[in-house]
Amino acid sequence: MDDRMGELPEYAERVLEVAELIPPGRVMTYGDVAEWLGEGGPRQVGRVMALYGGPVPWWRVVRADGVLLPGHELRALDHYRGEGTPLRDASRAAEGHLPRLDMKRARWDGMAGAGPTDGAVPRDVPHSEEGHNGAHIEQLPPNGGAAGSPATVRGT
């Protein structure tokens, strides 16, 4: 991180560090970031991104439903297309006919893998390992944990 981080609250620094870890072509939800950090929640992460997220790849931290960030849809869409982030076509009934993120393919669980499918740990295969903060992270199948939650974190 550069010198601007010295001026931020610690939680904001940590959120922005996670945003910078997300590989091009992949995304994490606000809730995923909070869970990865082991503190806060989607609203807290969203607040940090709204206040301080400009210098980091903000378009990679997204809503769980895959809807593009209101007011920034076209800028985000340019980034997604440039990075090859998986998108779903918009229905004709969708407001503005903008695509959504294909969350099933674009969502990154914080494990190895840089591209939308390159080297990613499949979300439906249970596995576990040590998280970055020493917590034990157990990956669960999509219906094996909390709704929308990529991992269960428990202390060691």
Side-chain angles (χ1 to χ4, degrees), residues 98-151:
L98 289 171
R100 287 185 180 211
L101 291 160
D102 184 339
M103 294 302 290
K104 187 173 184 177
R105 292 176 39 224
R107 199 170 189 178
W108 187 60
D109 62 6
M111 303 298 167
T117 56
D118 299 339
V121 176
R123 296 187 66 78
D124 59 348
V125 176
H127 64 281
S128 65
E129 63 182 53
E130 289 296 311
H132 74 286
N133 61 359
H136 181 80
I137 300 176
E138 180 175 317
Q139 295 296 115
L140 299 171
N143 294 330
S149 173

Side-chain angles (χ1 to χ4, degrees), residues 40-70:
R43 289 178 187 254
Q44 289 80 12
V45 171
R47 180 77 174 149
V48 167
M49 294 304 296
L51 293 175
Y52 308 110
V56 301
W58 52 267
W59 58 92
R60 297 183 192 149
V61 181
V62 301
R63 292 171 38 155
D65 62 4
V67 171
L68 306 186
L69 183 63

